[in-house]
């Protein structure tokens, strides 16, 4: 069989190593996974209870329209229900957008390094990918706007950016939108939105009133702690959402995910607790880097991209053998760095201690 030519040379997304695999390979009793930007505090007890309840009807197809969750998200986000597009993680929303908008010969514009699934899905559709290097770890929106041509269908802005954790502010993003033709879709991927503490982070929902070519991505995988259930969504103008909706697979979000996400929205106390602890731990990690003169990128997410003055691969291997799974920056476009997901206070203290003991 002949696979479509655009897929030649592509490799599947490579997640962080599973804990059990590392335990078995290295003979370790304790392994801490700080590689995939998951919530170390888990999910809301209300969400877990909702999952158990949903499993009672495991033989029944899920609600393809996700009505209950749709109503709750619309109410929380203060948008209309038909402005929402749900996916099997926000990853699937990216896939749906690429399926709906891209043809061979088209192009997209992204930053580099950034989340790789923008490029991956565009290439599968036969589109060209125009990559604009980050500047000091931040999207260079001026250069990205300049890269737009008559063949450009989408521009992806990962904000905060993965893997650097940096962000573009409201003025920068607003000025950027003014430069983009109205027939080019701008996707603001805000997977880490709940962790953001910056006061000047873009109010993209307000910009929806002005721009019909803007779509916002959010997810329940990060701060809400529902990564394994795979559910995310897009927010856009109703006419845009309804136009791309046919590209969505039927029953693409399962009943347990819908129920858990709806319940998680009700537990604001749990969410606030998680984000507050993340902010506190980020301050400790940044202070640690500054005290030891380690380079790092200021992060608005739940991870930090830092350098310990050694090649990223060397630091990764050392931490792996000590029972800490992080991401090797060599695979992320930052060869002298590692990306560390913030864990619990104890986990964070332990990995910092391990780093210092090794280096000293």
């Amino acid at each position: 069989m002949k696979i479509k030519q655009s897929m030649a040379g592509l490799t599947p997304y490579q997640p962080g190593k599973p804990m059990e695999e590392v335990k078995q390979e290295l003979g370790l009793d304790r392994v801490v996974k700080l590689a995939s930007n998951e919530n170390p505090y888990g999910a809301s007890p209300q969400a877990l209870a909702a999952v158990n309840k949903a499993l009672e009807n495991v033989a029944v197809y899920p609600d393809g329209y996700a009505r209950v969750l749709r109503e709750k998200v619309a109410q929380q986000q203060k948008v209309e229900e038909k402005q929402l597009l749900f996916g099997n993680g926000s990853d699937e929303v990216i896939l749906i957008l690429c399926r709906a908008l891209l043809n061979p010969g088209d192009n997209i514009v992204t930053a580099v390094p950034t989340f790789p699934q923008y490029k991956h899905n565009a290439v599968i559709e036969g589109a060209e990918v125009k990559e604009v290097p980050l500047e000091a770890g931040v999207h260079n929106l001026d250069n990205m706007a300049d890269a737009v041509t008559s063949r450009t269908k989408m521009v992806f802005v990962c904000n905060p950016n993965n893997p650097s954790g940096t962000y573009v502010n409201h003025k920068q993003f607003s000025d950027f939108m003014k430069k983009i033709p109205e027939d080019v879709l701008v996707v603001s991927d805000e997977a880490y939105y709940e962790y953001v503490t910056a006061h000047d982070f873009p109010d993209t929902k307000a910009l929806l009133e002005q721009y019909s070519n803007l779509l916002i991505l959010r997810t329940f995988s990060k701060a809400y702690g529902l990564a394994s259930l795979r559910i995310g969504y897009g927010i856009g103008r109703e006419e845009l959402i309804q136009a791309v909706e046919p590209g969505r697979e039927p029953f693409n979000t399962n009943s347990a995910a819908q129920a858990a996400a709806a319940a998680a929205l009700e537990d604001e106390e749990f969410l606030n607790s998680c984000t507050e602890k993340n902010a506190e731990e980020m301050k400790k990690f940044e202070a640690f880097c500054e005290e030891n003169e380690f380079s790092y990128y200021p992060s608005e997410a739940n991870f930090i991209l830092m350098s310990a003055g050694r090649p990223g691969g060397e630091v990764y291997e050392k931490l792996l053998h000590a029972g800490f799974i992080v991401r090797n920056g060599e695979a992320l476009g930052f060869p002298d760095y590692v990306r560390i997901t913030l864990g619990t206070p104890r986990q964070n203290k332990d990995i910092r201690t391990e780093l210092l003991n090794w280096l000293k």
Side-chain angles (χ1 to χ4, degrees), residues 62-276:
D63 176 5
Y65 189 65
R67 181 172 300 280
V68 173
L69 177 59
R70 183 179 297 272
E71 291 173 353
K72 288 185 180 294
V73 172
Q75 181 179 13
Q76 185 213 41
Q77 297 294 337
K78 296 180 173 57
V79 298
E80 298 298 321
E81 293 176 18
K82 290 187 177 181
Q83 288 184 255
L84 299 171
L85 174 64
F86 288 92
N88 185 35
S90 54
D91 292 351
E92 192 195 20
V93 181
I94 295 167
L95 183 153
I96 292 169
L97 293 173
C98 289
R99 172 187 285 179
L101 273 72
L102 297 178
N103 292 298
D106 294 334
N107 71 55
I108 69 165
V109 176
T110 78
V112 63
T114 192
F115 186 54
Q117 293 305 102
Y118 314 140
K119 178 178 181 177
H120 186 89
N121 284 291
V123 168
I124 289 175
E125 298 301 329
E128 177 191 4
V129 180
K130 305 184 74 175
E131 298 178 301
V132 178
L134 301 175
E135 184 174 342
V138 183
H139 281 59
N140 188 325
L141 294 184
D142 289 337
N143 286 357
M144 290 179 71
D146 291 341
V148 172
T149 69
S150 60
R151 293 167 50 202
T152 304
K153 291 294 182 68
M154 285 192 286
V155 181
F156 287 92
V157 179
C158 189
N159 201 26
N161 185 46
N162 179 12
S164 61
T166 55
Y167 79 105
V168 294
N169 64 36
H170 185 82
K171 184 179 187 308
Q172 292 168 329
F173 190 84
S174 180
D175 290 346
F176 170 73
M177 288 299 303
K178 296 174 185 176
K179 300 176 183 179
I180 303 301
E182 62 182 12
D183 62 345
V184 176
L185 179 64
V186 175
V187 181
S188 180
D189 187 349
E190 302 173 5
Y192 301 92
Y193 174 82
E194 290 80 10
Y195 288 115
V196 172
T197 60
H199 298 298
D200 58 350
F201 190 80
D203 184 358
T204 44
K205 278 194 301 176
L207 292 174
L208 281 176
E209 299 177 7
Q210 185 177 355
Y211 296 102
S212 61
N213 61 327
L214 174 62
L215 187 136
I216 304 160
L217 293 180
R218 300 280 176 86
T219 184
F220 288 94
S221 295
K222 307 305 181 184
Y224 286 101
L226 302 179
S228 71
L229 293 178
R230 311 304 303 125
I231 188 156
Y233 60 97
I235 311 172
R237 289 276 192 93
E238 181 178 337
E239 56 269 28
L240 170 64
I241 297 298
Q242 299 311 305
V244 302
E245 180 81 21
R248 178 180 63 81
E249 296 293 331
F251 312 117
N252 64 325
T253 60
N254 66 76
S255 298
Q258 292 179 27
L265 289 173
E266 298 290 336
D267 196 350
E268 293 184 9
E269 182 179 351
F270 177 82
L271 177 67
N272 292 338
S273 173
C274 293
T275 57
E276 287 168 6

Side-chain angles (χ1 to χ4, degrees), residues 34 281 285 341-352:
L34 301 174
E281 291 303 303
F285 241 113
T341 303
L342 300 193
T344 64
R346 172 63 187 276
Q347 292 169 342
N348 296 332
K349 182 178 180 180
D350 286 351
I351 195 172
R352 291 194 297 263

Side-chain angles (χ1 to χ4, degrees), residues 37 111-116 131-140 158 160-167 295-299 303-316 326-340:
N37 307 337
V112 63
T114 192
F115 186 54
E131 298 178 301
V132 178
L134 301 175
E135 184 174 342
V138 183
H139 281 59
N140 188 325
C158 189
N161 185 46
N162 179 12
S164 61
T166 55
Y167 79 105
S295 298
Y296 72 96
Y297 288 92
S299 176
F303 59 83
I304 187 167
L305 186 67
M306 60 163 287
S307 172
R310 302 283 186 88
E314 182 181 352
V315 178
Y316 165 80
V326 300
R327 287 304 295 268
N328 181 354
E330 293 175 353
L332 302 174
F334 291 88
D336 296 324
Y337 288 74
V338 289
R339 192 192 69 192
I340 302 175

